[in-house]
Amino acid sequence: MERIAVIDFETTGLSPNSSCRATEIAVVMLENGRIVERYQSLMNAGVRVPAFIEQLTGISNAMLRTAPPAERVMEEVNEFVGCTPLLAHNASFDQKFWDFELGRIKRTRLQNFACSLLLSRRLMPAAPNHKLGTLTTFAQLPHTGQAHRAMADAEMAANLMAHLAQELRGKHGVRELNHDLLCKLQKVPAAKVGEHLQRYR
């Protein structure tokens, strides 16, 4: 499978705005089922971290005071990603923050996001739920560190994507696996996945 950039943000809330911003980003490059490169940074956007978010992520206001400015981090990570296709677990969340933070440095996303959450609902229907930690345990994938920290979650999502790629090849006989197929598959009703994948065998 082609190279994919797997992204995870930690944030101060659910929707980006002037008082809700990203606090950390990690990107891992997944190539042929293996992580080959990594980028991670805290990012100081000048907003306060609510106490419950600090408890969830372990990212404190004190940590962000010495972190690089969000604009500089986004310049670096945008250069790191380039035109590589994107993936995240619950991508609608990360896409909102990626687009918002890029917009602040006057950049525009050029590529689509694939979503390992949507894909896992279609390819791992027997899982108890489709949270990243649950799927990691269910598929017996490596635990990569503290949940709700960007690098640990990005690595977990990358490992999950590698597992889903194996499922597509092994169980469904998909020969040519690419990002465009993933983006199409995540929109297919679960009951029609087998029928849809026949054209890729």
Side-chain angles (χ1 to χ4, degrees), residues 89-189:
H89 197 76
N90 191 18
S92 61
F93 174 85
D94 295 277
Q95 181 180 314
K96 282 188 296 188
F97 281 90
W98 181 253
D99 290 349
F100 181 84
E101 296 293 349
L102 273 187
R104 291 183 62 88
I105 60 166
K106 300 187 168 41
R107 301 285 192 279
T108 304
R109 173 169 54 91
L110 301 173
Q111 61 274 66
N112 291 326
F113 264 90
C115 179
S116 55
L117 171 63
L118 295 178
L119 291 165
S120 66
R121 284 179 177 160
R122 285 150 180 79
L123 298 171
M124 299 172 69
N129 62 57
H130 294 89
K131 295 177 180 174
L132 189 52
T134 304
L135 292 166
T136 293
T137 302
F138 180 77
Q140 299 181 314
L141 301 172
H143 280 272
T144 53
Q146 181 186 337
H148 303 297
R149 287 303 299 266
M151 181 54 76
D153 285 354
E155 288 185 348
M156 268 197 282
N159 290 336
L160 175 62
M161 185 58 246
H163 175 77
L164 293 173
Q166 287 180 335
E167 289 280 295
L168 283 164
R169 289 195 187 93
K171 190 184 286 186
H172 296 280
V174 173
R175 281 184 291 180
E176 289 297 320
L177 187 53
N178 57 45
H179 188 264
D180 184 56
L181 184 156
L182 300 178
C183 290
K184 287 175 180 168
L185 181 61
Q186 67 193 22
K187 297 174 183 172
V188 174

Side-chain angles (χ1 to χ4, degrees), residues 55-75:
Q55 196 169 14
L56 179 71
T57 64
I59 297 170
S60 67
N61 288 295
M63 289 164 67
L64 293 184
R65 273 197 289 275
T66 57
E71 291 76 13
R72 189 201 310 165
V73 172
M74 288 306 298
E75 291 280 5

